Amino acid sequence: MARLAPLGIVPLGDCAVYIEFSKTLDLEVNSAVQRLATVVHGRALPWIRDVVPALGGLALHYDPDDPALAGNAVLNAANVVEDCLKQGLPKPGELLRTVEVPVCYEPEFAPDLAEVAAAARIDAQEAIRLHAAADYRVLMIGFAPGHAYMGGLDPKLALPRRATPRAVVAEGSVAIANDQTVVYPYAISGGWNIIGRTPLTVFDAERQEPSLFAAGDRVRFKPIARSEFAKMLSR
């Protein structure tokens, strides 16, 4: 790909700056943004409170009272990004981490699986096989803490969101929509097609690393039986 260069740098509320690199989902740009976030974070600049990679850009959350900003957060953010890009980004493989997620695809956990299979003109077992066989990458964390958007869904399963969202989706529900899959970190509303559930705790604010997923992670889904789900849940 060509050298990563910002399309624009704008304020994001009162305490953040957003640096945009692409207006559409470009997987190469997304990967580069995640690596850039690692480099910026590694500088440990005292005025930066958080570094959040998105699908096609990077948000820098800052302390507005820090004197190092000299009242111009946008300029300082631009300078940091430019310096990090000149320094060079890590290679994609250098940040590789794979998270294995056990999933029970039994009907009680997969209220939309039959509908998904019918829409794709395959049976439920083939839908499960396709979902579990794919290699996914976390594109970003958004919508809610620990809520990871993952690219890599088989095109046969690329269906639109449900016309009517559910008021409550159970914690750990694995769902698909368009060309992505997600795992709901806790019980929240959602309109994606639910095809399974994991017994893993996706988000726990008390853990040293609260989120099971981070931007850039590789994710593999492993089908498990109902008995194994119950055993893992009780640990």
Side-chain angles (χ1 to χ4, degrees), residues 5-167:
L7 298 179
I9 303 178
V10 297
L12 189 66
D14 297 330
C15 300
V17 173
Y18 183 67
I19 303 94
E20 185 175 58
F21 294 95
S22 177
K23 295 183 180 296
T24 58
L25 175 56
D26 182 312
L27 294 181
E28 289 191 358
V29 171
N30 178 259
S31 174
V33 165
Q34 291 166 358
R35 287 176 279 136
L36 172 62
T38 299
V39 175
V40 174
H41 190 272
R43 292 203 167 190
L45 296 171
W47 58 272
I48 296 181
R49 288 175 169 171
D50 200 5
V51 182
V52 183
L55 292 181
L58 188 70
L60 300 185
H61 295 258
Y62 61 86
D63 177 359
D65 298 321
D66 194 298
L69 290 177
N72 196 330
V74 172
L75 177 61
N76 279 273
N79 289 339
V80 169
V81 167
E82 182 179 359
D83 287 346
C84 289
L85 290 174
K86 285 181 178 178
Q87 171 188 326
L89 304 180
K91 296 178 180 179
E94 294 176 0
L95 303 177
L96 186 64
R97 185 182 77 144
T98 298
V99 181
E100 185 176 86
V101 180
V103 180
C104 185
Y105 294 94
E106 294 293 332
E108 63 185 288
F109 300 132
D112 301 323
L113 181 58
E115 187 176 337
V116 165
R121 298 183 179 181
I122 55 178
D123 60 32
Q125 288 304 311
E126 177 63 5
I128 293 170
R129 189 193 70 78
L130 290 174
H131 184 261
D135 289 308
Y136 299 92
R137 180 161 62 83
V138 177
L139 304 174
M140 64 174 284
I141 306 292
F143 178 64
H147 192 276
Y149 290 87
M150 307 175 201
L153 184 68
D154 190 288
K156 290 183 180 179
L157 300 178
L159 305 174
R161 299 183 187 189
R162 295 177 58 81
T164 304
R166 291 181 170 89

